[in-house]
Amino acid sequence: MSSTPSSLPPRGSQANDDERLPVAFTLNGETVDTQVHPLDTLLEVLRDKLRLTGTKGACHEGECGSCTVLVNGIPMNSCLILAPQVQGSDLVTVEGLADGETLSNVQQAFLDLGAVQCGYCTPGLLIAAKAFLETCPDPTPEQIRKGMEGNICRCTGYVKVIDAVIEAAKTMPSLKGARHEQA
Amino acid sequence: MSKPDFAPVGSSVRRNDARGKVTGETRYGGDLAGVDALHVAVLRSDLPHAEILAVDTSKALALKGVVAVFTAEDVPGTNRHGLIRRDQELIASRFVRYTGDAVAVVVAETHKIARRALALIDVDYRPLPGVFSIDEALAPDAPQLHAIGNILTRKPILRGDAEAAMREAHVTVEETYLTQAVDHAFLDLEAGMAYMDGDVLTLHAAGQWVHEERRLLALALGLPYERVRIIQPATGGAFGGREDLGIQIYLALAALLTGKTVRLDYDRAESMTARHKRHPLRIRYQLGADREGNLVAAKVTVHADTGAYASTGDAVMRKSASHATGPYRIPNVQVDVIGVFTNVSPCGAMRGFGAAQMAVGYELALDRLATELGMDRLEIRRRNLIRNGESVTTTQVIPVATGLQCLEEAQTRIGWGQRDYETSQPTLRRGYGISAFCFGLGYGDGFPDASRAKVRFAEDGVLEVYTGAVEVGQGLTTVMAQIAAQECGVDPESVRVIWADTHRTPESGSSSATRQTYFTGSAVQIAASELRLQLMDIGATLLPIHWDDLTIAGGEIRDRHDPTQAVPLDAVLAEGRRRSYSLEASGIFKPPTLPSDPDGLSPRSFITYLFGSHACSVLVDIETGEVQVEKIVAVHDVGKALNPMLVTGQIEGGVTQGLGMALMEEVIRREGKILNSGFTDYILPTMGDVPPIEAVYLENADPGGPYGARGIGEPPLIGTPPAILSAIADAIGTQVTELPATPERVWRAIQEKQQRERSRDLGEPASVRSRQ
């Protein structure tokens, strides 16, 4: 009796490893022009190719939100997007939130109010919070619970995360720069 | 510098690792390796029990891009590991005992090639019959997993005469409670990097006790200790799940045998398949009381499914036994905790460590007893909680036993006296629950338990703390910085903490057992207070004032009676260096515990105990069985909150994991195979599931902890499942006795209750009092 590995087949097994597609997008304000495998996920390209490891993978099936990035202002799970799909898009990752040494209001609120423990979900939560606050600038805790339910945190019990989002809302910069392309 | 009178200890100092975590700069195990690293992948048994007749790696080796394939034959050293018993092989040589045992290790140029190579390895197995439940394992003709048979261990508690006391009790109840296998589900998947640094095998991989991991790896690989170095990267949660060796094994083998830099990244399925779980327990609980509701006897038989290997099972079983009756005064106790091997993934450490499961047993049994006696659930707890100077079940006397104070705080905050059962819809029923518990800190039971720390002023004038303890998200590096800062009068945010590097830091034991605040906190305090004396000695000559009259804070040493007489620490350090003061000090904290006697009793089983009480309200939809938790109050006597923000953060997180255990989390296994090895099917609490949590801490100082502190890692998880289960029972009028209380189980409990009532109405004997 012979064995097969218990895990899923390797990702990208149906395509030639050497196959490449050009893809260009804006990432944290910078133009990126690169070649990707057609089945590479956006998460893989961000982390492995572009070496931006701030965006995390934790479930790789769209359940936990750790890999959330902004695609044209909309928070998306980068583990579920194939890299060629973001051709021409405007992407923001956690590395794009601070302005030099100055943290964004959401980052600062997470740091000040103890919304960070192990920190692994934090990049995804920060991106989700930024997007959420742009659609809901003065949220109640209940609105946050519904609006950010797609991001799992295993450490905090969400209490201080919700506190931080409310605090960030108080210090939101004006929305003049906010995008309004949400579906 | 901080404000003059700012006291770092007791303040909600911001985490010293949070900035990197909010900018994305912090590097976790999977963020370290460069593009040149080779990829490691592990072939795991897909059979739960089999003999390996042959492993043919030739096809895998022939695949382009494959660098090496290793089997058990290639492992130098003993090829064995295990935290308590070395009963597990790094790579299985002859037998596989669960679906997930490692059979071969591939090293390849890319992740994809490594995964493909796994499929090309031919393993010739002879399948063996497996045992997949406690009863199968204990059957007379059951296949035996290990040379010692299918029973890992039995841990007793025998105190008084439980048989006689139970016979004489005014009222007794008996029920069986089933708890489930739970996954730690830390988000940061096992990932790391390893390479040879000269002849030193160097690993960057997250564990919970780097020095012990080094010992185990070195022995298993036949290397001297000093040729293995483990450096812990930033770590995204552990919860007990990183205690057993895992990726370290395969990273070490691959780096040692290829000489190359290697990386390994589990996916979620491999993480959940390979790693140990929380023990599922079958708790048969019999409890008796006198007419007034005073507990007189407990008889508790626990069978724990410990899976395929020992892991930390022996210690978990002991903790289940020593915590079998919780915080209550029961003079006659008979406990038998039996750990049973089965062909499923090993069970071992997880937050709560055998005590969390037992709280479900004693709390729900106590509720049943209250019902039988017609007593309020609060009142029966008030009556039976131990008071200062009374003993827990092991006979250990507890000088600060504040369970009653915690209970009163919880009941007041939930409004126990004003419970409101009105709901908005007829199908919704509200229920209230309350629980009490206690928890022993540290390894206990005579196991050597020590922490060491070093503090020093570095050449750049920065105060440094060296500890081997791992930061896994709990905030340890921040608290240690606070303690050192408190003693040496500097700003805690300026302290540099060097942690968990076996070549640079002293051994501090594991980040587990709710022990690091108590143990390493004490070691840092001892070291830093020694260093403080050096500073005072130097300052006393500089000022010059007798050191009795000096104080140190805000970056200076000053006359406590005349603050204008002061000298800045910079000058003190410069003078100290001129006069050859070491400007460093070490501390060791090693309080003894005593092993239990053959009856499981010990006057000092744990270094100290923490008490807590949770209360909650829930809404149950009696048509669907769905439970919505409305509010949770969680009270713990932490002794002293060294950092209130971190303490409440631990409470809120622990409560949420407890909510998951109560209502949704369950590793479902069939014939030893995990059916829900991803987050689509393994359900974790989301923001939408978690109600407002009131995290409350009391501060009745502990006589032995730093600044009176105890610890808060595990306890917050323990009180929540029984409180929620109690609230569900209050809402539907019957207990759910199997965790998690999914909508289906709640709905069934409601149906069965209705059926019992119909039978009773028809005059049939109420023979079935409880569910199996």
Side-chain angles (χ1 to χ4, degrees):
Chain A
M1 169 161 194
S2 83
S3 75
T4 52
S6 56
S7 299
L8 295 168
R11 288 191 291 275
S13 58
Q14 294 87 353
N16 183 332
D17 282 357
D18 298 328
E19 207 176 327
R20 289 291 179 274
L21 280 176
V23 59
F25 48 84
T26 309
L27 176 59
N28 301 329
E30 309 262 327
T31 302
V32 173
D33 199 339
T34 188
Q35 302 272 324
V36 301
H37 189 273
L39 295 179
D40 281 348
T41 65
L42 176 58
L43 177 63
E44 288 168 330
V45 169
L46 288 172
R47 288 180 53 83
D48 301 338
K49 193 171 186 75
L50 304 175
R51 306 295 301 156
L52 284 183
T53 54
T55 304
K56 305 301 184 193
C59 74
H60 300 99
E61 54 190 24
E63 292 289 342
C64 75
S66 300
C67 64
T68 307
V69 299
L70 292 183
V71 180
N72 297 326
I74 299 171
M76 292 189 172
N77 290 319
S78 62
C79 74
L80 295 183
I81 303 172
L82 294 178
Q85 292 177 277
V86 299
Q87 170 66 32
S89 300
D90 182 19
L91 307 185
V92 178
T93 67
V94 67
E95 289 92 346
L97 292 181
D99 180 7
E101 288 299 297
T102 309
L103 298 179
S104 72
N105 63 318
V106 182
Q107 288 171 307
Q108 192 66 50
F110 270 59
L111 193 158
D112 289 342
L113 297 189
V116 178
Q117 286 189 26
C118 90
Y120 203 81
C121 70
T122 304
L125 270 171
L126 291 169
I127 294 285
K130 174 183 163 67
F132 171 74
L133 285 172
E134 282 174 7
T135 61
C136 186
D138 187 20
T140 64
E142 271 322 300
Q143 287 172 315
I144 297 169
R145 282 197 174 86
K146 284 206 164 54
M148 293 180 55
E149 200 177 7
N151 289 75
I152 286 175
C153 170
R154 190 58 159 161
C155 298
T156 65
Y158 308 103
V159 176
K160 291 179 178 19
V161 172
I162 293 169
D163 291 347
V165 174
I166 288 171
E167 175 65 21
K170 292 183 198 158
T171 55
M172 268 300 263
S174 81
L175 290 175
K176 61 180 161 40
R179 296 175 191 86
H180 296 286
E181 295 150 42
Q182 61 270 21
Chain B
M1 283 298 170
S2 55
K3 282 177 286 182
D5 294 312
F6 172 71
V9 162
S11 299
S12 289
V13 172
R14 291 183 302 190
R15 294 179 66 106
N16 53 17
D17 60 354
R19 190 179 170 92
K21 288 175 173 177
V22 299
T23 60
E25 286 163 281
T26 298
R27 296 295 177 102
Y28 297 80
D31 303 334
L32 301 170
V35 287
D36 297 338
L38 299 176
H39 291 256
V40 182
V42 183
L43 180 67
R44 298 190 177 278
S45 164
D46 54 0
L47 295 177
H49 198 196
E51 183 176 2
I52 300 168
L53 301 178
V55 182
D56 181 355
T57 61
S58 57
K59 276 186 274 180
L61 276 167
L63 183 68
K64 187 170 175 295
V66 171
V67 175
V69 183
F70 302 119
T71 63
E73 289 175 9
D74 301 303
V75 181
T78 66
N79 190 29
R80 304 191 81 78
H81 74 100
L83 279 165
I84 295 176
R85 303 174 188 230
R86 312 308 162 232
D87 70 343
Q88 201 164 355
E89 290 182 311
L90 309 190
I91 302 180
S93 60
R94 185 163 169 212
F95 294 104
V96 291
R97 295 185 177 86
Y98 79 103
T99 304
D101 249 331
V103 177
V105 174
V106 169
V107 186
E109 288 170 6
T110 69
H111 182 73
K112 285 177 188 171
I113 294 170
R115 304 299 301 179
R116 273 179 213 148
L118 294 183
L120 297 175
I121 299 170
D122 284 322
V123 184
D124 189 6
Y125 288 115
R126 184 171 71 90
L128 298 169
V131 290
F132 304 109
S133 69
I134 289 160
D135 291 332
E136 283 175 45
L138 295 179
D141 54 348
Q144 302 293 297
L145 265 70
H146 293 279
I148 61 168
N150 285 351
I151 293 181
L152 166 70
T153 188
R154 292 180 82 146
K155 299 294 186 190
I157 296 281
L158 291 170
R159 189 177 174 183
D161 186 344
E163 293 280 355
M166 198 68 78
R167 273 195 309 272
E168 291 157 18
H170 171 68
V171 57
T172 64
V173 294
E174 188 170 357
E175 184 59 272
T176 298
Y177 299 99
L178 303 176
T179 69
Q180 77 276 38
V182 177
D183 192 88
H184 312 81
F186 41 72
L187 292 186
D188 176 19
L189 286 163
E190 293 93 334
M193 173 175 73
Y195 49 85
M196 298 303 294
D197 179 4
D199 67 352
V200 177
L201 172 61
T202 306
L203 283 90
H204 297 258
Q208 291 187 229
W209 184 359
V210 287
H211 289 84
E212 179 68 3
E213 288 146 20
R214 174 173 72 165
R215 278 190 286 274
L216 290 174
L217 271 183
L219 289 170
L221 298 173
L223 296 171
Y225 290 160
E226 64 272 20
R227 280 193 55 203
V228 180
R229 178 181 186 181
I230 302 181
I231 303 164
Q232 179 110 351
T235 307
F239 316 120
R242 300 187 201 265
E243 286 197 30
D244 293 353
L245 283 184
I247 54 164
Q248 297 96 334
I249 294 167
Y250 319 111
L251 283 167
L253 262 178
L256 181 68
L257 297 180
T258 66
K260 308 284 192 194
T261 299
V262 298
R263 68 179 295 169
L264 172 54
D265 304 80
Y266 282 2
D267 62 15
R268 185 56 65 182
E270 185 167 18
S271 171
M272 288 188 72
T273 302
R275 185 167 22 81
H276 63 274
K277 306 285 172 251
R278 182 194 294 288
H279 285 82
L281 260 51
R282 181 170 74 199
I283 305 166
R284 187 82 189 156
Y285 216 107
Q286 198 182 353
L287 197 57
D290 67 15
R291 197 177 298 275
E292 285 76 42
N294 300 303
L295 297 175
V296 295
K299 280 178 67 185
V300 190
T301 304
V302 177
H303 288 89
D305 182 344
T306 204
Y309 296 100
S311 179
T312 47
D314 294 83
V316 175
M317 302 303 87
R318 168 63 187 164
K319 196 128 197 178
S320 290
S322 62
H323 288 65
T325 57
Y328 300 111
R329 178 194 316 106
I330 311 181
N332 302 288
V333 177
Q334 180 184 320
V335 177
D336 187 9
V337 182
I338 305 153
V340 181
F341 286 120
T342 60
N343 292 108
V344 302
S345 35
C347 289
M350 188 176 175
R351 196 178 196 174
F353 205 78
Q357 298 95 313
M358 292 313 295
V360 173
Y362 59 73
E363 286 300 89
L364 294 191
L366 193 58
D367 280 357
R368 288 280 300 272
L369 203 59
T371 304
E372 293 295 317
L373 285 160
M375 274 179 88
D376 187 77
R377 287 169 288 159
L378 177 65
E379 191 49 43
I380 199 165
R381 286 171 172 77
R382 279 178 176 151
R383 184 172 282 267
N384 290 288
L385 280 167
I386 65 165
R387 311 296 202 265
N388 290 351
E390 292 189 290
S391 69
V392 289
T393 190
T394 55
T395 69
Q396 179 168 351
V397 172
I398 311 298
V400 189
T402 52
L404 183 62
Q405 195 183 339
C406 293
L407 184 81
E408 297 298 351
E409 188 71 28
Q411 70 95 355
T412 304
R413 286 173 182 260
I414 203 72
W416 192 262
Q418 304 86 42
R419 278 167 289 168
D420 175 7
Y421 289 94
E422 282 285 315
T423 65
S424 58
Q425 292 170 46
T427 57
L428 288 181
R429 298 277 198 280
R430 182 171 287 118
Y432 292 81
I434 193 158
S435 71
F437 61 94
C438 65
F439 188 75
L441 272 61
Y443 304 138
D445 213 27
F447 188 87
D449 197 349
S451 181
R452 298 159 190 84
K454 184 175 81 176
V455 296
R456 66 186 284 261
F457 279 97
E459 291 65 25
D460 58 1
V462 172
L463 180 59
E464 291 183 335
V465 176
Y466 288 77
T467 168
V470 301
E471 165 70 59
V472 295
Q474 76 276 49
L476 173 136
T477 57
T478 305
V479 171
M480 298 311 146
Q482 287 177 254
I483 293 172
Q486 175 77 29
E487 294 297 325
C488 295
V490 304
D491 180 351
E493 297 198 23
S494 75
V495 177
R496 192 186 291 143
V497 182
I498 295 95
W499 55 282
D501 175 343
T502 55
H503 271 41
R504 294 184 69 201
T505 59
E507 173 150 8
S508 303
S510 64
S511 285
S512 71
T514 312
R515 62 180 290 287
Q516 286 297 6
T517 294
Y518 206 92
F519 281 75
T520 299
S522 294
V524 170
Q525 188 194 15
I526 290 164
S529 62
E530 276 297 304
L531 182 52
R532 173 196 178 96
L533 283 184
Q534 286 190 33
L535 301 176
M536 292 297 213
D537 199 39
I538 303 162
T541 57
L542 280 176
L543 278 170
I545 297 169
H546 191 282
W547 70 5
D548 282 353
D549 297 317
L550 293 180
T551 185
I552 183 168
E556 60 183 23
I557 292 178
R558 63 175 98 96
D559 185 338
R560 65 171 80 241
H561 314 295
D562 176 7
T564 62
Q565 295 295 304
V567 56
L569 274 185
D570 294 352
V572 173
L573 294 178
E575 176 67 7
R577 288 191 205 288
R578 199 181 63 75
R579 293 169 52 197
S580 300
Y581 278 79
S582 71
L583 298 178
E584 72 170 57
S586 292
I588 178 166
F589 184 70
K590 194 179 178 183
T593 56
L594 293 167
S596 53
D597 69 12
D599 289 343
L601 308 180
S602 165
R604 191 171 159 85
S605 198
F606 292 95
I607 47 148
T608 193
Y609 276 80
L610 175 150
F611 289 75
S613 176
H614 291 197
C616 69
S617 69
V618 304
L619 283 176
V620 181
D621 185 324
I622 55 166
E623 289 194 331
T624 65
E626 284 172 291
V627 177
Q628 182 200 338
V629 183
E630 296 180 299
K631 181 184 178 182
I632 300 179
V633 175
V635 185
H636 308 82
D637 191 345
V638 302
K640 168 76 180 173
L642 302 184
N643 183 321
M645 182 172 82
L646 293 177
V647 166
T648 52
Q650 285 296 302
I651 294 173
E652 291 150 4
V655 163
T656 299
Q657 290 184 356
L659 183 147
M661 177 174 161
L663 295 178
M664 58 192 81
E665 293 184 46
E666 181 175 18
V667 181
I668 299 168
R669 303 180 284 197
R670 188 174 299 155
E671 300 287 292
K673 195 163 178 92
I674 295 174
L675 302 184
N676 55 342
S677 62
F679 285 177
T680 303
D681 305 310
Y682 185 83
I683 309 301
L684 295 164
T686 70
M687 219 179 269
D689 298 312
V690 180
I693 299 168
E694 240 178 272
V696 184
Y697 56 85
L698 307 180
E699 293 186 302
N700 293 294
D702 188 88
Y707 312 96
R710 294 190 182 89
I712 194 61
E714 294 169 272
L717 188 147
I718 298 171
T720 301
I724 291 176
L725 270 288
S726 180
I728 293 171
D730 188 37
I732 67 175
T734 186
Q735 284 185 347
V736 176
T737 55
E738 183 173 0
L739 267 62
T742 56
E744 180 182 340
R745 290 194 180 115
V746 174
W747 184 84
R748 283 184 191 283
I750 295 168
Q751 303 311 307
E752 284 163 18
K753 172 174 179 276
Q754 289 172 351
Q755 198 143 20
R756 283 196 301 273
E757 285 165 355
R758 277 196 295 273
S759 304
R760 199 156 53 224
D761 292 345
L762 294 170
E764 292 170 10
S767 58
V768 184
R769 279 187 58 199
S770 63
R771 298 176 56 217
Q772 282 307 303

